[in-house]
Amino acid sequence: MAYRATEKTRAAQAERREVLLAEAGNLVAAGGFSAASVKAIAENCGVSVGSVYSYFDGRADLLAAVFRRGADQELNEVRMAVAEHSGAADRLRALVETFARRAIRGRQMAWSLLFEPVDPRVDEERLVYRGSYVELTTAILRDGIEEGELPEQHVGIAAAALIGAISESLTGRLSPVPVELPETFSDDDIVDAILQLCLRAVGFAA
């Protein structure tokens, strides 16, 4: 008689997978994707390396799942912040400030999600989520043009440029390798500078 998983068995498997995924996320948040080895995950969860592989199709699959979870959380926070505002200018401010401030608060995870060299599987996920941010920004800019707040422009290119600018502008602050910055250049200064750049770039009065 063929084995058929029961609902209880499936629930237990899903729970064990969740424990492994959560621990992998903790390791990434603390030391980046490079710290999330299958051996470290297994040891911290008190299971064998083989047990980890029974829930994921290799380390690349596991890290891609960790990336999706972290990126989903950040994207949802940005979307919620944008949805709380009306008017294209205020929505763009919410997008920039939420993105930048959350990245600075969770520097290691943000660095890993945005910049850390990783398996191609994770790079593929990065492109998907970058596209989601560009899509959200495109909608804001299109509304701004329709409402007469912005001059006519190629909204797709402008949106992609803004998302690239926000990410690249955070590199120095997020980098695990110390980068010299003026002592008076605070996190608030960085966020405000990025915001002013983005607003002016598309034609809003900063």
Side-chain angles (χ1 to χ4, degrees), residues 73-178:
Q73 180 178 354
E74 296 308 312
L75 180 58
N76 288 338
E77 291 290 340
V78 171
R79 282 175 170 161
M80 288 190 294
V82 169
E84 290 175 356
H85 295 79
S86 59
D90 285 343
R91 288 163 64 205
L92 183 59
R93 286 190 180 93
L95 184 152
V96 175
E97 290 184 341
T98 304
F99 186 121
R101 291 190 187 283
R102 287 185 61 81
I104 290 172
R105 284 201 299 271
R107 294 179 187 182
Q108 178 59 67
M109 179 59 86
W111 174 265
S112 297
L113 293 176
L114 292 170
F115 304 115
E116 184 180 355
V118 286
D119 184 273
R121 283 282 304 281
V122 177
D123 271 335
E124 291 173 7
E125 298 289 345
R126 277 184 178 149
L127 291 176
V128 171
Y129 282 92
R130 187 181 183 91
S132 296
Y133 281 104
V134 171
E135 182 179 353
L136 177 60
T137 308
T138 297
I140 294 172
L141 299 183
R142 185 176 291 117
D143 288 346
I145 293 171
E146 292 177 356
E147 294 163 5
E149 295 181 69
L150 287 175
E152 288 289 338
Q153 56 195 289
H154 192 302
V155 291
I157 291 176
L162 290 186
I163 296 303
I166 297 168
S167 299
E168 291 302 320
S169 297
L170 291 168
T171 305
R173 186 60 95 200
L174 302 181
S175 174
V177 179

